[in-house]
Amino acid sequence: MRDKEQLYVNHWYEDLYNCFSHFLQKIGSGVKTMSIFNRTKAEQSEDSAGSKHSGHISDYSEDFETAGKDNKDKSEIPEDSVVETITCSACKKEIPAEQMRKCLCVCPECGAHNKISAKRRMHSLVDPGTFRKLKCPVPFVDPLAYPDYKDKIEGLQDKTGLDEAVLLGMGEIEGHKAMIGVMGSEFLMASMGIAVGEKITHAFEIADKYKLPFIMFTASGGARMQEGILSLMQMAKTSAAAQRFGERGGLYVVALTHPTTGGVSASFAMLGDITIAEPDALIGFAGPRVIEQTIGQKLPAGFQRAEFQEEHGFVDQIVPRAEMREVLSQILRLHEKRRWPL
Amino acid sequence: MIRDIDERIQDIDKEIETESSKESDYAADVKIKELKSERKKLLKQCSNPTPADKVYLARHKNRPKVDDYINALFDDFFVQRGDALGREDKSILGGIATFHGVPVTVLGHRKGRNINENMEYNFGMPEPQGYRKAMRMMKQAEKFDRPIITFIDTPGAYPGLEAEENGQANAIAKNLAEMSALKVPVIAIVTGEGSSGGALAIGVANSVYMLENAVYSVLSPEGFASILWKDSSRSAEACDLMKLTAQDLKRFHVIDGIIPEPLGGAHHNPQKVYRELDNMLVAELTKYKKMSPNELARNRYEKFRHMDAAIIAKAKK
Ligand SMILES: [Zn+2]
């Protein structure tokens, strides 16, 4: 209920702002005094005065879809599925879908972090009405002419409402602006092909352009086999982009979720300044089955899980889904002011 | 199938050897002559290898290995061992050497040439320590302004228990990121099989070359068949579908050039391959000499950033 109110208020401000800015533009005045509206909008007209690429660009509309109710692309808002109950992947209990949604797919019975769709995750992270999808259309590419690949992708696009296996955009987390990426394992195991690699690389570049921190929720079976060698090359492309973003002072936060393996784990997923993980998420390069076949023995319980990665020094903190927003907000807050020396 | 032809050629070579070791007589001479002409005929049949043939040749046990390339192309080799963090990984061989008098850093996957060496070097499948050792050498090369030359020949990063514990994903990711920003020229050559992130982890180079019969792919054809069709015996089919040959990769703009091989594969005349490689390296290093450190890093970044741009643009139409 509160969320809805907030959404309404945001839209109200936006409409009001639009009226005012038209008026002010007509009389040729700046909008500096309009701090009552969110900074984005106020800075927007400052930018049109010609401060492009200064690091304080705020006309986001060049690179992002507009936010709010008029947004044709409802990327943030998850469809409510028709199913009535959802089976928990861990305890196998039937949980009412409504209750599961409220708990962000964390089982109310056993606490298992069940898979959550990319849209629902994004919705759970950002302040209502603040999500603006990154503009980055990538056409369907089929370098191997892989049988039935196109049909498969088109089917998934219809089913998931995603255009590819990653959803990217700008949003606010408790008022802190960030570029946020969420991989959707519902889209071909969120494997990384040309489109995913291109979108993530572009997101790094746009995050750098607007000096936004970048938060990436990873989940992937690895490289997209159906795209052959070019899917492997996305590992180099995204890693190079992460490196460059870091060299320019960008904050890159990775949240590892179940499962993050293969070519994604061995590229941008392991390059965060801060790395957090959801409880019990499988994180590793080689899949457990391949390892068992190679070494000819069963793997110990908990192998490659988030807690294992934390113990071996590759994860800063394990963060339950319910605390994710709060922790991300803390991380953003701690990096917002760089004022040393005092 | 080149495999059958190649095995017959190996038998012929053995027979020729036995005949030659005998007391020279007319019958033996005739036999040798016959064998040699059969060998010649067989070699001619190797002129159009299929992708599966290339996978066979790329993995051939007599194919030149990283130490052969280092011996043939460089002087004054000083081997460097260890990641300086607690382990030496023998599946990567590398160090400092000179190329036409210029100090360079050279490194590559080491498979070994017999079963004992294979075991010792883990079949050229590095653990994280191997990648960290490679990165240590490359960072040093940057510090001392040495060009870097890497030789890729691996079935992939080792999928083992300890490898995971020590951060295989982390080690590969760090290499990809840091290699992309190196301020010295990097030239990578896929000499045998380049499989998965385990190959790419020393392959983020300004120029990438492949030997004519080398293969480079997102994972091995067996792995590809096993993941997509749950049937690793369909690997020959996978070879055709995967587009993993040097010619395919040149079309995809993933590599810059192809080093020709003699008929029947590099092991039939390694000297010819070394000469080709030497010419290529001289040309490439001369080209990069004109670039500043920052230009070199930018050049490499742009290469990987826009590698698939032409293919994306084509798909847009
Ligand atoms: Zn449960």
Side-chain angles (χ1 to χ4, degrees), chain B:
Chain B
M1 281 290 284
I2 276 195
R3 178 192 293 269
D4 303 327
I5 299 169
D6 183 77
E7 278 165 5
R8 177 68 196 129
I9 289 176
Q10 285 182 46
D11 290 342
I12 289 174
D13 286 346
K14 266 183 218 142
E15 281 176 53
I16 291 177
E17 210 174 303
T18 12
E19 292 295 332
S20 317
S21 64
K22 282 182 193 163
E23 288 279 318
S24 173
D25 67 36
Y26 182 70
D29 286 352
V30 170
K31 178 90 191 176
I32 290 171
K33 219 173 170 185
E34 277 171 7
L35 286 167
K36 280 190 173 162
S37 93
E38 190 192 346
R39 193 185 193 279
K40 217 172 173 180
K41 267 185 216 152
L42 285 168
L43 257 186
K44 272 192 187 144
Q45 294 173 28
C46 297
S47 58
N48 267 319
T50 65
D53 289 337
K54 287 183 183 239
V55 171
Y56 172 77
L57 290 175
R59 294 172 179 169
H60 201 284
K61 66 178 186 343
N62 296 337
R63 200 169 170 82
K65 299 284 186 281
V66 62
D67 43 343
D68 297 317
Y69 292 112
I70 291 178
N71 283 334
L73 293 164
F74 307 98
D75 297 310
D76 217 5
F77 179 57
F78 174 82
V79 70
Q80 288 186 285
R81 298 194 183 96
D83 61 358
L85 294 163
R87 259 277 301 277
E88 152 67 354
D89 185 338
K90 290 182 179 174
S91 63
I92 297 262
L93 173 68
I96 312 163
T98 60
F99 180 72
H100 294 267
V102 179
V104 292
T105 284
V106 292
L107 59 99
H109 300 104
R110 174 161 57 175
K111 279 183 165 175
R113 57 193 79 238
N114 54 52
I115 190 67
N116 287 337
E117 282 187 8
N118 293 156
M119 302 284 280
E120 190 181 350
Y121 306 144
N122 202 23
F123 296 85
M125 292 185 285
E127 302 213 14
Q129 293 89 345
Y131 294 116
R132 292 183 185 129
K133 166 170 112 175
M135 205 59 236
R136 177 174 82 91
M137 288 191 269
M138 290 192 270
K139 279 297 205 188
Q140 264 179 31
E142 184 179 46
K143 176 179 172 186
F144 295 106
D145 282 327
R146 288 193 292 262
I148 298 164
I149 296 141
T150 70
F151 295 90
I152 295 170
D153 185 16
T154 180
Y158 185 61
L161 195 114
E162 274 181 42
E164 292 293 321
E165 277 178 359
N166 291 318
Q168 189 69 284
N170 185 280
I172 295 171
K174 288 266 157 66
N175 274 29
L176 300 179
E178 288 181 21
M179 271 191 96
S180 78
L182 288 169
K183 291 186 161 68
V184 289
V186 185
I187 295 158
I189 305 145
V190 186
T191 60
E193 57 175 335
S195 277
S196 91
L200 185 61
I202 60 166
V204 185
N206 296 82
S207 296
V208 183
Y209 279 78
M210 273 175 87
L211 261 58
E212 192 182 331
N213 295 316
V215 293
Y216 194 5
S217 54
V218 61
L219 84 173
S220 70
E222 291 82 3
F224 187 90
S226 147
I227 288 181
L228 286 170
W229 306 316
K230 315 269 176 251
D231 183 1
S232 61
S233 68
R234 286 169 73 183
S235 68
E237 203 179 322
C239 291
D240 288 334
L241 181 59
M242 286 174 82
K243 301 207 169 79
L244 42 61
T245 69
Q247 294 70 21
D248 291 322
L249 268 63
K250 183 79 175 46
R251 265 197 303 279
F252 286 149
H253 311 289
V254 172
I255 61 165
D256 301 275
I258 301 173
I259 306 293
E261 286 186 40
L263 213 52
H267 57 289
H268 282 277
N269 188 355
Q271 295 305 326
K272 185 166 175 264
V273 177
Y274 303 149
R275 274 196 302 277
E276 296 279 356
L277 281 171
D278 188 82
N279 291 340
M280 177 276 283
L281 286 173
V282 169
E284 288 291 330
L285 292 177
T286 310
K287 183 173 90 188
Y288 290 124
K289 211 159 72 180
K290 295 181 196 104
M291 286 191 192
S292 73
N294 285 330
E295 277 169 350
L296 285 164
R298 201 176 316 126
N299 169 276
R300 194 175 322 106
Y301 181 86
E302 296 294 329
K303 175 189 176 73
F304 284 86
R305 175 68 187 91
H306 300 299
M307 188 174 271
D308 46 20
I311 285 161
I312 293 175
K314 209 174 137 197
K316 259 185 191 148
K317 280 178 195 162

Side-chain angles (χ1 to χ4, degrees), chain A residues 88-93 95 107-112 114:
Chain A
C88 169
S89 64
C91 70
K92 311 288 174 204
K93 287 205 176 102
I95 313 288
C107 176
E109 296 286 331
C110 73
N114 285 283

Side-chain angles (χ1 to χ4, degrees), chain A residues 230-249:
Chain A
L230 288 166
S231 70
L232 186 72
M233 293 301 138
Q234 305 307 314
M235 290 172 67
K237 183 158 105 179
T238 53
S239 299
Q243 173 78 14
R244 176 173 275 205
F245 181 68
E247 281 174 0
R248 296 184 182 196

